[in-house]
Amino acid sequence: MGVLHLNGGENKFQLSRYAPSGDLGFFVKHFWIVSWDLTGQEPYLQDVVPNPCVNLVIEPNRTAFYGAAKSKYSYLIQGKGCVLGVKFKPGGFYPFIKQPVSRLSQHPMDVGSVLDVDAQTLESAILSQEDEAKMVEHAERFIRPKLPDKDPHITLINQIIDRIIEERDMTKVDHICTAFSLNKRTLQRLFDQYVGVSPKWVIQLYRLQNAAETMDLHPNHDWAKLSMDLGYHDQSHFIKDFKATIGMTPEEYVRRRTAST
């Protein structure tokens, strides 16, 4: 979940992930670093699919906390550069700000409103490091003094999302409510406040990711049957949602996947 058609960009950039230290692990899923050197080469456009996480992105002149994107977006890689990201667990960023995370969907949050540092200082301290482990170590030093108390809602939210990922037949919000004995309105309010997107959207996201994985393995799969298996009443809605999330129709996805292999 994340970078789309990663194999196609393996010669254009390097992607590394680092686990957080134990005290940050309750809130942070992992750190990620993307670096590239396309000096003298054409720029490269990398597609990224959404996920239900807040990210602190540390990049020259663009450093901020970003909420979950609701559709595929593209990042233009050019010249030489490096970006460090802190991916918080679903719900893991809420205790830092104590306000609905859904507000970040339209407006990224300034670093200085959460950490005791401004964006420019943070960029200078982290991106000047040549060793990736040192970059992560410095990032943790800025986050650690602001660590809030552990919130049990984060554990519940991640249990719910893990269940959605593991059980592909969980295609409706009612299925979550039944599995976790939750009122639908309570569940929706919890996700709006902590995750920033609805539980319905999270289900749809992972089911469409499942669809992409199925197409990777079986390009000639019956799409009408696949859409039914994912809980769609008709194929047209499935195609519309797939394109909004993955960035292309199922037919285009299979064609590009076949060409890249």
Side-chain angles (χ1 to χ4, degrees):
M1 179 64 67
V3 181
L4 193 60
H5 295 300
L6 180 59
N7 292 339
E10 60 184 0
N11 296 322
K12 302 295 183 179
F13 62 88
Q14 293 75 48
L15 170 64
S16 305
R17 294 188 178 95
Y18 294 86
S21 298
D23 56 339
L24 274 70
F26 186 82
F27 304 96
V28 175
K29 188 176 181 70
H30 62 248
F31 293 85
W32 53 266
I33 298 175
V34 176
S35 57
W36 65 91
D37 187 353
L38 297 183
T39 304
Q41 302 180 46
E42 291 293 320
Y44 180 77
L45 194 65
Q46 175 63 55
D47 294 332
V48 182
V49 295
N51 57 74
C53 301
V54 170
N55 279 268
L56 166 58
V57 178
I58 303 172
E59 177 182 10
N61 303 315
R62 296 180 63 182
T63 296
F65 290 95
Y66 293 86
K70 293 188 177 181
S71 61
K72 184 271 298 183
Y73 59 96
S74 301
Y75 186 94
L76 185 65
I77 298 173
Q78 56 187 335
K80 182 178 181 179
C82 179
V83 178
L84 180 140
V86 184
K87 176 180 279 190
F88 291 84
K89 289 183 177 180
F93 184 62
Y94 170 79
F96 287 84
I97 59 173
K98 296 292 180 68
Q99 56 181 283
V101 175
S102 55
R103 297 178 183 176
L104 274 67
S105 62
Q106 299 297 326
H107 304 287
M109 181 170 287
D110 179 71
V111 169
S113 62
V114 181
L115 307 178
D116 292 329
V117 62
D118 60 75
Q120 188 174 4
T121 302
L122 190 63
E123 293 165 13
S124 177
I126 292 176
L127 300 181
S128 62
Q129 302 295 321
E130 295 186 4
D131 181 76
E132 290 190 348
K134 288 291 185 182
M135 294 172 68
V136 172
E137 183 180 321
H138 275 67
E140 291 194 331
R141 287 178 183 172
F142 285 107
I143 297 172
R144 186 168 285 114
K146 292 297 183 179
L147 283 181
D149 294 332
K150 292 183 178 180
D151 186 332
H153 286 112
I154 298 174
T155 302
L156 172 61
I157 288 167
N158 282 270
Q159 287 174 344
I160 291 172
I161 292 179
D162 286 345
R163 191 81 165 264
I164 292 172
I165 295 171
E166 294 165 3
E167 299 185 12
R168 296 193 175 197
D169 57 351
M170 187 171 281
T171 58
K172 299 181 183 299
V173 175
D174 287 340
H175 295 164
I176 299 176
C177 294
T178 299
F180 289 88
S181 301
L182 289 170
N183 175 275
K184 182 182 289 188
R185 187 165 295 180
T186 299
L187 176 66
Q188 291 171 335
R189 186 167 55 248
L190 181 67
F191 268 64
D192 178 82
Q193 187 172 353
Y194 278 77
V195 187
V197 291
S198 69
K200 179 181 179 181
W201 181 88
V202 174
I203 292 173
Q204 176 181 295
L205 172 68
Y206 284 105
R207 295 295 78 89
L208 291 173
Q209 179 72 9
N210 293 152
E213 291 170 355
T214 298
M215 292 174 195
D216 287 342
L217 298 173
H218 308 288
N220 297 318
H221 194 87
D222 184 338
W223 293 341
K225 181 180 184 303
L226 181 58
S227 63
M228 292 280 289
D229 291 343
L230 295 174
Y232 285 90
H233 296 296
D234 61 76
Q235 191 175 343
S236 62
H237 280 96
F238 162 64
I239 294 173
K240 179 182 177 181
D241 286 347
F242 189 92
K243 184 174 183 179
T245 302
I246 306 299
M248 61 196 82
T249 66
E251 184 177 357
E252 291 169 337
Y253 181 87
V254 170
R255 189 162 57 241
R256 182 184 291 191
R257 177 66 177 174
T258 302
S260 68
T261 56

